[in-house]
Amino acid sequence: MASSSAKFLAFFALTVSVICSDAAATPTLRHGQPTKTWCVAKPSSDEAALKANMEFACSESDCSAIQGTGGCTHSDSVMSHASVAMNAYYQARGRNSWNCFFNGTGLITITDPSLGSCKYV
């Protein structure tokens, strides 16, 4: 049977690892406030890759903003639609850097890309 000090050390180590892993996933400003981040399409990405990103992201997350009468349907730009779809996937999956990779075509930003009625979540 484990001693109470061994149990405490195991609990402490687990707590620290959870806190550290959570902190690594959430960027912060200097004052300790969590920074909101978004995933957008890299401007140098080709259209075929962005269309593939949209297809994948929309199969895994809510893309209603770029479908039907959503707030981001006004633009016919593949870059804009891909950014919205990629961000929906990124947000739904916990804002981890690897959820914005998209074969090197994603870019994480701290600047809100929302424009007019097109609001990024």
Side-chain angles (χ1 to χ4, degrees):
M1 188 161 139
S3 70
S4 59
S5 61
K7 287 180 184 177
F8 174 76
L9 286 175
F11 173 77
F12 180 76
L14 179 63
T15 302
V16 168
S17 70
V18 168
I19 290 170
C20 290
S21 67
D22 186 44
T26 307
T28 57
L29 295 175
R30 273 193 263 176
H31 302 292
Q33 297 292 330
T35 302
K36 178 79 171 157
T37 57
W38 297 266
C39 176
V40 295
K42 217 179 253 187
S44 61
S45 303
D46 67 63
E47 193 170 297
L50 296 180
K51 286 180 178 180
N53 291 351
M54 280 192 292
E55 186 175 323
F56 170 75
C58 291
S59 72
E60 299 286 323
S61 56
D62 179 14
C63 285
S64 59
I66 59 171
Q67 299 167 337
T69 59
C72 300
T73 57
H74 64 279
S75 171
D76 287 335
S77 165
V78 173
M79 178 74 65
S80 295
H81 284 186
S83 291
V84 172
M86 292 162 68
N87 184 65
Y89 179 83
Y90 171 72
Q91 298 296 330
R93 295 292 185 257
R95 294 179 12 196
N96 300 299
S97 60
W98 56 87
N99 297 126
C100 186
F101 182 66
F102 291 98
N103 293 322
T105 61
L107 181 66
I108 295 174
T109 181
I110 60 171
T111 303
D112 186 350
S114 298
L115 183 63
S117 65
C118 183
K119 304 292 183 203
Y120 282 63
V121 290

